[in-house]
Amino acid sequence: MAGMSDVAKRAGVSIATVSRVLNNSESVNEATRMKILKAIKELKYQPSRVAKRLRSKRVSSNLLGVLIPDIQNPFYVDVLRGIEDVAYKNNYAIIMCNYGQDEKKEIMYLDILQSEAIDGLIAAPVSENDQRLKSIIKNGFPVVCVDRGLAGIDVDIVWVNNEEGAFTAVSHLVKSNYKRIAYISGLPSIPSSRMRENGYRRALEKNKLFDPELIKRGDSSYESGVNLCAELLDLPNPPDALFTGNNLITLGALETIHKRKKQIPDEIAIVGFDDMFWSSSLNPPLTAVRQPAYEIGKRAGELLIQRITDPLRPCIQMTLNAELMIRSSC
Amino acid sequence: MAGMSDVAKRAGVSIATVSRVLNNSESVNEATRMKILKAIKELKYQPSRVAKRLRSKRVSSNLLGVLIPDIQNPFYVDVLRGIEDVAYKNNYAIIMCNYGQDEKKEIMYLDILQSEAIDGLIAAPVSENDQRLKSIIKNGFPVVCVDRGLAGIDVDIVWVNNEEGAFTAVSHLVKSNYKRIAYISGLPSIPSSRMRENGYRRALEKNKLFDPELIKRGDSSYESGVNLCAELLDLPNPPDALFTGNNLITLGALETIHKRKKQIPDEIAIVGFDDMFWSSSLNPPLTAVRQPAYEIGKRAGELLIQRITDPLRPCIQMTLNAELMIRSSC
DNA sequence: TTTGAAAATGTAAACGATTACAAATGTTAA
DNA sequence: TTAACATTTGTAATCGTTTACATTTTCAAA
């Protein structure tokens, strides 16, 4: 592929001048500009972002990193869309890394992203004690967290009020007169799992309905939804309602309930954390706590770009509202 | 951040030696190797992939590009997972670009990916006449297409037999005695939309059931599923069954059907192209043509890595089987 | 010893851009 | 004509690696 020197040769100028018209910086004579533009066209010249990034660390590489735990979870897909739209508008491309809640993989990706000299990173860390991510932040690298925080360090973060969302959902179940309300939790090492559990617990204790037997903790996956729901249904004194800790768990629980031909909500009610755009087409239309996922991504993208341009701005914690979408599953 | 020269200084050797232990190439004395390794640890040195890529074009950058039309479509998510697993195993990271079926965006991403000096690209092109992608392939750059082909050019490709899949699905509808079977197509510029239409048409014509009025062509989105389904239901002589052209269209059509409180399959049957892992939790459990999406991604990843190591290997077109998953929606 | 090959290490030129600084050219006013 | 300044262009260093080639060190055999 043609390089800048080829263009320079063809246009009969020096590479400095070529660089100048490329970055339309400083003054360059209109005639030479035209010559150079013509040469660029003819040679189909494309500047190498790699060389550019190597040379000027202080200049934007127009690359953002995104590190998410699970691309299969529609919540993160929407977050990603939000990030991407903002990035595209601001002329950034994104490297997306999906670490599948695997810490080794997360570390590998973090290394790669750093050594790719990205301008900034949006991450949902593997846990709140993510050492590697913390040290990156301490080094002054621009990072925005989404959905999950980091303990003992000041960082921009965008998330929802998980406790309140869970509290509202479970309270709705209580009001609807369910008595044995179970919670299928995601990975307990994820802060949001515990926040949601707190909300669940607060709603039940307030009404003296709390029974520790009805909490099952899994790994935030579809399979764990399938299995833990089965365990709950097999209890000698099974629950009459289910609060599921995320998207995939909800779908897994539904799978089990349907397989056992239990009626929802008559035999078992269910309300899930995380809405999906097709929730109303589920059987039955699912009552769920809706996180504004796209909005979360959008805000995170904006915060990151701000931080890149102004590294000294104080950190912001942005808590968006989760909303209970009441449909027919409870 | 510390660079290679810092490490060299600390270990009291030249940068060349550092580079050698990093790439464990050639012989280096065990004692010096230790010294250097120690210095690397102490300085938390991380090699810059950017500099590495700039220097050695012929050496692998361990970066793969993935270009997909719509990250919201669960089919592509699964393809992506397949690619990612293979990439990870072979020590490649991936840059994922989602162009949202927007040609301008696709071209931008293609430019970026090229100038990032990635090793290879897996793409589902915007159309079979994608000029930019074609010229990249002509330049000898390693590319594997997924789900969508390219006209008039030899390229590795992994997809399913769309026509056959559609034919099977629609034939099943015919066997079940539906008479007015409609097709909601995705964007006609996408080859798979037309292939599926061909299968649909062949199945109906064979049984003298074809009626051009029952074909609606949209843009492969959820919204177009919602709207075109409504148009079909509003027909003076509405269909008694629906064949939907992809995932999102299916979900959109379900939305409309439910909103109108039509019974599935009694008032209207539906079979969709593309299965989802939660299809059995839909209302009703959805009959769908299952593409082995994860497998498609995995195969594509393998083909790409092969091509990178052997640029001269003849092109392969890999057609996987689509399978009809019969549930209760027809 | 000396010699020569093998092993270990160093030197310096790339890779393809940006950019400080220098140099050349053009323009205006005295 | 020339001084003074603005405009335009060029030169060369730089970013952090890899690598061809040169050099030094080591060591066994003569």
Side-chain angles (χ1 to χ4, degrees):
Chain A
M1 246 185 30
M4 217 164 70
S5 61
D6 301 297
V7 174
K9 205 174 297 167
R10 178 146 196 145
V13 296
S14 77
I15 56 167
T17 309
V18 176
S19 172
R20 277 189 273 258
V21 348
L22 247 33
N23 302 290
N24 50 312
S25 65
E26 305 177 55
S27 46
V28 17
N29 184 288
E30 201 48 34
T32 27
R33 154 175 272 110
M34 284 311 172
K35 266 197 306 194
I36 291 171
L37 255 21
K38 186 156 154 276
I40 288 177
K41 277 247 170 73
E42 289 170 351
L43 294 172
K44 293 189 189 174
Y45 165 73
Q46 272 198 38
S48 153
R49 292 168 62 98
V50 175
K52 185 169 182 163
R53 291 228 299 285
L54 177 59
R55 174 49 218 253
S56 39
K57 283 210 146 334
R58 56 195 57 178
V59 154
S60 169
S61 66
N62 290 290
L63 249 194
L64 261 29
V66 177
L67 187 67
I68 59 173
D70 187 0
I71 187 67
Q72 228 178 346
N73 184 329
F75 167 73
Y76 289 112
V77 171
D78 283 340
V79 171
L80 189 59
R81 287 196 310 121
I83 296 172
E84 214 210 358
D85 281 357
V86 173
Y88 183 67
K89 272 199 200 98
N90 290 275
N91 229 276
Y92 281 89
I94 70 180
I95 299 194
M96 194 282 283
C97 299
N98 171 225
Y99 66 88
Q101 200 58 223
D102 170 349
E103 184 154 12
K104 249 179 56 195
K105 211 162 170 178
E106 191 214 18
I107 289 177
M108 179 193 92
Y109 278 137
L110 239 24
D111 285 350
I112 290 178
L113 286 172
Q114 267 217 297
S115 69
E116 282 297 338
I118 56 173
D119 286 333
L121 172 66
I122 293 178
V126 66
S127 86
E128 59 197 331
N129 299 312
D130 192 318
Q131 292 307 326
R132 181 67 64 111
L133 189 56
K134 280 193 197 174
S135 87
I136 289 176
I137 295 170
K138 274 188 202 131
N139 284 340
F141 191 79
V143 173
V144 173
C145 287
V146 283
D147 183 47
R148 306 173 175 191
L150 238 29
I153 193 169
D154 209 23
V155 60
D156 285 325
I157 171 163
V158 184
W159 54 9
V160 298
N161 193 328
N162 283 295
E163 219 223 88
E164 200 54 32
F167 180 81
T168 309
V170 176
S171 295
H172 178 255
L173 245 14
V174 172
K175 263 180 262 155
S176 310
N177 224 21
Y178 292 100
K179 297 299 178 196
R180 287 184 61 71
I181 303 170
Y183 173 48
I184 306 183
S185 163
L187 217 52
S189 59
I190 304 170
S192 58
S193 299
R194 296 202 309 278
M195 297 290 98
R196 291 169 195 176
E197 181 169 330
N198 290 346
Y200 159 83
R201 190 162 172 157
R202 184 155 61 85
L204 290 191
E205 280 177 344
K206 197 172 134 190
N207 295 280
K208 310 233 185 314
L209 288 173
F210 181 69
D211 176 353
E213 187 190 46
L214 294 179
I215 298 186
K216 293 281 178 188
R217 299 188 184 84
D219 66 359
S220 310
S221 72
Y222 176 80
E223 287 72 28
S224 99
V226 170
N227 297 331
L228 296 179
C229 177
E231 284 185 26
L232 283 167
L233 295 181
D234 286 340
L235 246 33
N237 188 1
D240 57 3
L242 232 51
F243 173 53
T244 43
N246 81 1
N247 258 337
L248 300 179
I249 295 173
T250 308
L251 259 8
L254 280 179
E255 171 75 24
T256 296
I257 296 174
H258 287 138
K259 192 168 281 162
R260 302 212 178 180
K261 306 215 188 301
K262 296 267 181 209
Q263 283 305 312
I264 305 175
D266 296 339
E267 296 180 79
I268 184 141
I270 181 167
V271 40
F273 211 105
D274 288 335
D275 201 23
M276 294 152 288
F277 66 88
W278 66 88
S279 287
S280 55
S281 296
L282 286 170
N283 177 21
L286 183 74
T287 297
V289 180
R290 182 183 173 275
Q291 294 195 65
Y294 179 89
E295 178 88 3
I296 291 176
K298 200 178 136 211
R299 295 291 183 185
E302 290 166 355
L303 282 185
L304 183 58
I305 288 172
Q306 276 177 29
R307 169 143 319 283
I308 290 169
T309 53
D310 175 12
L312 297 173
R313 147 169 93 57
C315 288
I316 293 178
Q317 298 203 182
M318 204 179 267
T319 308
L320 304 181
N321 271 334
E323 184 187 2
L324 185 63
M325 310 294 289
I326 299 177
R327 300 198 184 88
S328 334
S329 68
C330 76
Chain B
M1 246 183 34
M4 219 164 72
S5 62
D6 301 297
V7 174
K9 206 174 297 170
R10 177 147 197 145
V13 296
S14 76
I15 56 166
T17 310
V18 176
S19 172
R20 277 188 273 257
V21 349
L22 247 32
N23 302 292
N24 49 311
S25 64
E26 305 176 55
S27 47
V28 19
N29 183 288
E30 201 48 32
T32 28
R33 154 175 270 110
M34 283 312 172
K35 265 196 305 192
I36 291 171
L37 255 22
K38 187 157 154 273
I40 288 176
K41 276 248 171 72
E42 289 170 350
L43 293 173
K44 292 188 187 172
Y45 164 74
Q46 273 198 37
S48 154
R49 291 168 63 98
V50 175
K52 184 169 182 161
R53 292 227 297 285
L54 176 59
R55 174 50 221 252
S56 41
K57 285 208 144 335
R58 56 195 57 176
V59 154
S60 167
S61 67
N62 290 288
L63 250 194
L64 259 31
V66 178
L67 187 66
I68 59 173
D70 186 0
I71 187 66
Q72 230 178 343
N73 185 328
F75 167 73
Y76 289 112
V77 171
D78 283 340
V79 171
L80 189 60
R81 287 196 312 120
I83 296 172
E84 213 209 357
D85 281 357
V86 173
Y88 183 67
K89 269 196 202 101
N90 290 274
N91 228 276
Y92 281 90
I94 69 180
I95 299 194
M96 193 281 284
C97 299
N98 169 225
Y99 65 89
Q101 199 60 221
D102 170 349
E103 185 155 11
K104 250 179 56 194
K105 211 163 170 176
E106 191 213 18
I107 290 177
M108 180 192 91
Y109 277 137
L110 238 25
D111 285 351
I112 290 178
L113 286 172
Q114 267 217 296
S115 69
E116 282 297 339
I118 56 173
D119 286 333
L121 173 66
I122 294 177
V126 65
S127 85
E128 60 197 330
N129 297 312
D130 192 319
Q131 292 308 326
R132 182 66 64 109
L133 189 57
K134 279 192 197 174
S135 87
I136 289 176
I137 296 170
K138 273 186 204 135
N139 283 340
F141 191 78
V143 172
V144 174
C145 287
V146 284
D147 183 47
R148 306 173 175 190
L150 237 30
I153 193 169
D154 210 23
V155 59
D156 285 326
I157 172 162
V158 185
W159 55 9
V160 297
N161 193 329
N162 284 294
E163 219 223 88
E164 200 53 33
F167 180 82
T168 309
V170 176
S171 297
H172 177 255
L173 245 14
V174 170
K175 262 181 264 156
S176 309
N177 223 22
Y178 293 99
K179 297 301 178 197
R180 287 184 60 72
I181 303 170
Y183 173 49
I184 306 184
S185 163
L187 217 52
S189 59
I190 304 170
S192 58
S193 298
R194 295 202 309 278
M195 296 290 98
R196 291 168 196 177
E197 182 169 331
N198 290 347
Y200 159 84
R201 190 164 175 156
R202 183 155 62 85
L204 290 191
E205 280 176 342
K206 198 172 132 189
N207 296 278
K208 311 232 187 306
L209 288 173
F210 181 68
D211 176 354
E213 185 189 49
L214 293 179
I215 298 186
K216 294 280 178 187
R217 299 186 184 87
D219 66 359
S220 309
S221 72
Y222 177 79
E223 287 73 27
S224 98
V226 170
N227 298 330
L228 296 180
C229 177
E231 285 185 27
L232 283 168
L233 295 181
D234 286 341
L235 244 35
N237 189 1
D240 56 3
L242 231 52
F243 173 54
T244 45
N246 82 1
N247 258 336
L248 300 178
I249 295 172
T250 308
L251 260 7
L254 280 178
E255 171 74 24
T256 296
I257 296 174
H258 286 137
K259 192 168 281 164
R260 304 211 175 182
K261 306 217 185 305
K262 296 265 180 213
Q263 284 303 314
I264 305 175
D266 297 338
E267 297 179 78
I268 183 141
I270 180 168
V271 39
F273 211 105
D274 287 334
D275 202 22
M276 294 152 288
F277 65 88
W278 65 87
S279 286
S280 55
S281 295
L282 286 170
N283 178 22
L286 183 76
T287 296
V289 180
R290 180 182 175 279
Q291 294 195 64
Y294 179 90
E295 178 89 4
I296 291 176
K298 199 178 137 211
R299 294 292 183 187
E302 290 166 355
L303 281 185
L304 183 58
I305 288 172
Q306 277 177 28
R307 171 143 317 282
I308 289 169
T309 52
D310 175 12
L312 296 173
R313 144 170 94 56
C315 287
I316 293 178
Q317 298 204 179
M318 203 178 269
T319 307
L320 305 181
N321 270 334
E323 184 188 2
L324 184 63
M325 311 294 289
I326 298 177
R327 302 199 183 88
S328 333
S329 68
C330 76

